[in-house]
Amino acid sequence: MESGALLVEGLEVVYGRSVRALRGVSLDVPVSGVVAVLGANGAGKSTLLRAVSGTLALHRGAVAAGTIRYASERLAGRDPALIVRAGVVQVPEGRRVFANLSVDENLQAGALSTRGSALIRSNRERVFDLFPVLAERREQRAGLLSGGEQQMLAIGRALMASPRLLLLDEPSLGLAPRMVGRIAGVIREIAAQGVAVLLVEQNVTVALDLAEKAYVLDVGEVRLAGSSADLARTDEVRRLYLGEEETAAPDAASAPARPTPRKPLRRWVG
Ligand code: ATP
């Protein structure tokens, strides 16, 4: 496995005493480009991002085993603010913005860990370049923005912290197709600017289009991994995640559906 900016090995996460949400998860995110994590509801995608951003404790979760290294430094157990300062910044699911604060104030809140007014100014300019609509609405209360604009603001706020690795949790969730396309374009642009992106998505078409490499999580384990192009060609991904019908053998038409075999886990595709 190529050694990247983020290296997760054998990660186990538990919530409370009994819920094991991740089992033996290993993945690698290089210093640039987009890596996607796919999977159905409850597969453990958000849990993975929480483990990387150090925010599991806020959800009564903990790393039970394994290692998370970013730029060769161990992240597990570190204060979330220090993880942000190391360049790893999460945009949480559900485009959480401060509804009663203005667009500008939300962006300012994202810059709390950023040192130097010149850097804050240039980060803000970069956000307004990516999202001109935020510049037009900078005085407006965030709660009055549309869902798509709130997602832009949530991403913009993360960019104010000068990320080198951006963790994106379902940025397309609940957005109209046109807005999904705009957000995808911005993610591509952010990656082109040299920021690595770990993208959690249920919209597999969008994710495989954006990412060079993807991992498929299934009930807390990595089930498939490979280049996006190779994964998009597998029957499993086409059937389970892209909604395509399997080509049935002529005599199989009336046979009962067989459950998908679960072994071997972590098959490298391609
Ligand atoms: P979704 O796409 O629905 O957001 P997900 O792939 O992000 O799903 P997670 O939210 O990471 O999945 O959940 C993984 C497992 O951990 C699920 O079984 C879920 O019920 C459980 N879980 C998540 N958060 C908690 C929590 N705070 N306490 C207990 N169990 C939790």
Side-chain angles (χ1 to χ4, degrees), residues 15 19 21 40-47 50 59 93 170 202:
Y15 287 108
V19 181
N41 287 113
K45 305 181 299 298
S46 298
T47 299
R50 289 172 187 161
H59 304 268
E93 191 181 25
E170 307 237 16
Q202 277 201 42

Side-chain angles (χ1 to χ4, degrees), residues 131-200:
F131 304 112
V133 68
L134 295 183
E136 289 160 22
R137 312 252 164 113
R138 52 193 299 172
E139 308 288 334
Q140 192 171 316
R141 266 182 48 210
L144 299 175
L145 299 174
S146 73
E149 289 160 356
Q150 289 185 9
Q151 182 60 272
M152 293 175 183
L153 182 54
I155 296 173
R157 199 175 54 191
L159 292 176
M160 293 298 289
S162 309
R164 287 190 293 139
L165 170 62
L166 193 62
L167 310 174
L168 282 174
D169 199 345
E170 307 237 16
S172 77
L173 192 72
L175 300 182
R178 234 177 103 216
M179 185 56 81
V180 172
R182 279 176 70 185
I183 297 285
V186 168
I187 295 170
R188 197 171 278 118
E189 175 76 31
I190 291 169
Q193 291 174 359
V195 178
V197 177
L198 180 56
L199 170 69
V200 155

